[in-house]
Amino acid sequence: MNKFSINLYFRPENRKLLVFIVSNIHRKRSLPPLAALPAFEAAARHQSFSRAAEELNLTHGAVSRAVAQIEERLGIQLFVRRNRRVWLTPAGERLLRATGSALDGLEHAVEDIHRHDGNSPILTVSCEPSLAMRWLMPRLGAFREAFPDLNIDLRMAGGPVDLLSDGCDVAIRRADYGISDHYITTHLWSEYAGPVCDPECWETILDRNLSNARWLHTRTRPEAWDDWKRASGSDALPASEQYFDHFFFALQAAVNRLGTAIGPLPLVADDLTAGRLIAPLGMVATGYDYVLITLDVPQRDPRIAVFFDWLMTTAREMEMPPKAG
């Protein structure tokens, strides 16, 4: 097994392992022998002792004895046995519902423990949608090739994050809101931004004059243009304006020559490299940083450490923002 592998997934076919965990708990509560419940649950699901024994890698007799122990403890019949077939009694149906729910809960808890274990092959990452779609996702293929044993479970979400309740190991955020002191925030890169548009459009239609442009706004960052004007000292005014619901749409509209948008690195990095967009007036620091949010320092979890180091190496392109051309 590699260092990111899980030694145990608590799937239904492995529920016989409950025997080692709960074999004596029933003695302290008014409960049936808990070690026998996985056998009962499998037999009840399949309506067959033989199929339950096959699933749990037990003998038919072992399953039968486990069920008999529960029936003896409860003093009630759980199965009707007839011609080598079994059917659940009403009491058996009630116990199946309760047992199935309990075993499912244990399974989910164990999977969640493994998911947040440094030896897990899964790293759950919460990332802002525009950053995920325009920068992170296009690079995850390269990450998978470099680290094939670590799988990224990507969740798209923005704003405040609750890592525990959201079931995430880390979050990547633009630090434009108050982040709880309960988390560790590690700087990834500083954000730079500037007007971006189609290169031919800039030379011909706009005649290299920003005031001839239709300015594209987004309701998720309504102050983007004003922030850029303050940071750059520009006094330009738009020829016309258009609004979009999400930043991603405004940037795509700029690629499609529908206007000029404020494009921050890293969201327009690939478009600038490919020549789909240019930043004719260069880019200035917005004063905001992108950060990695974790429950502990990244180096203490080998999965997070690998992902963090890869992020920092991959994001070096943000260290040299475009200058005015």
Side-chain angles (χ1 to χ4, degrees):
M1 304 289 284
N2 56 63
K3 66 177 181 179
F4 292 115
S5 294
I6 292 179
N7 293 324
L8 167 65
Y9 276 117
F10 205 82
R11 300 298 185 186
E13 60 266 24
N14 292 326
R15 283 178 172 170
K16 63 178 181 176
L17 294 172
L18 277 174
V19 171
F20 302 107
I21 301 173
V22 298
S23 59
N24 294 314
I25 296 177
H26 73 280
R27 298 176 183 176
K28 299 180 181 180
R29 294 174 178 264
S30 298
L31 296 172
L34 298 186
L37 286 177
F40 162 76
E41 189 270 344
R45 261 192 300 111
H46 292 300
Q47 298 282 280
S48 168
F49 285 15
S50 297
R51 291 179 63 186
E54 182 179 347
E55 176 183 299
L56 299 176
N57 196 26
L58 299 173
T59 65
H60 182 284
V63 173
S64 181
R65 286 192 296 273
V67 172
Q69 282 184 324
I70 300 174
E71 290 179 324
E72 181 180 355
R73 174 80 178 199
L74 297 179
I76 194 168
Q77 195 172 12
L78 300 174
F79 291 94
V80 175
R81 300 161 176 83
R82 188 176 302 147
N83 297 328
R84 295 190 176 183
R85 297 192 60 187
V86 294
W87 290 268
L88 282 171
T89 65
E93 291 177 354
R94 291 182 61 186
L95 186 59
L96 172 61
R97 288 193 295 269
T99 304
S101 176
L103 294 177
D104 286 343
L106 284 170
E107 178 183 349
H108 294 155
V110 171
E111 285 188 347
D112 188 61
I113 290 169
H114 280 303
R115 179 179 292 276
H116 297 285
D117 178 12
N119 293 320
S120 170
I122 301 171
L123 183 70
T124 304
V125 178
S126 172
C127 185
E128 294 187 348
S130 289
L131 179 64
M133 295 175 71
R134 296 186 65 87
W135 188 82
L136 182 57
M137 288 181 66
R139 289 160 175 78
L140 285 182
F143 178 88
R144 185 175 182 84
E145 291 178 3
F147 306 100
D149 297 325
L150 181 57
N151 298 307
I152 301 299
D153 178 9
L154 185 59
R155 312 278 182 86
M156 295 191 190
V161 61
D162 186 332
L163 292 177
L164 291 177
S165 65
D166 294 343
C168 296
D169 296 299
V170 303
I172 303 174
R173 290 292 189 270
R174 183 176 186 258
D176 55 0
Y177 67 94
I179 299 174
S180 171
D181 293 337
H182 294 102
Y183 294 122
I184 301 295
T185 57
T186 307
H187 178 269
L188 293 174
W189 57 77
S190 299
E191 183 184 65
Y192 292 84
V196 294
C197 62
D198 174 81
E200 184 180 349
C201 181
W202 174 253
E203 295 291 340
T204 58
I205 299 174
L206 302 184
D207 194 27
R208 300 175 64 87
N209 187 339
L210 188 60
S211 291
N212 293 331
R214 173 185 293 170
W215 290 12
L216 306 177
H217 299 272
T218 173
R219 293 181 176 87
T220 54
R221 294 195 198 177
E223 305 300 324
W225 276 99
D226 290 337
D227 291 343
W228 172 78
K229 288 177 66 174
R230 281 193 294 270
S232 65
S234 173
D235 58 0
L237 295 173
S240 62
E241 298 174 282
Q242 186 173 353
Y243 287 81
F244 294 88
D245 287 333
H246 200 282
F247 209 54
F248 175 83
F249 300 133
L251 295 177
Q252 190 60 44
V255 171
N256 294 333
R257 306 182 67 179
L258 297 179
T260 301
I262 292 295
L265 288 176
L267 303 190
V268 295
D270 291 344
D271 293 315
L272 295 174
T273 299
R276 292 185 292 267
L277 292 174
I278 60 170
L281 303 180
M283 292 188 169
V284 296
T286 65
Y288 294 107
D289 294 333
Y290 281 91
V291 297
L292 188 73
I293 302 173
T294 54
L295 292 169
D296 206 342
V297 293
Q299 291 74 19
R300 292 189 179 176
D301 186 319
R303 303 166 306 150
I304 298 175
V306 165
F307 184 64
F308 171 71
D309 290 343
W310 175 82
L311 277 177
M312 297 301 293
T313 300
T314 306
R316 286 174 182 166
E317 61 195 16
M318 265 76 77
E319 297 175 359
M320 297 292 292
K323 297 188 182 300

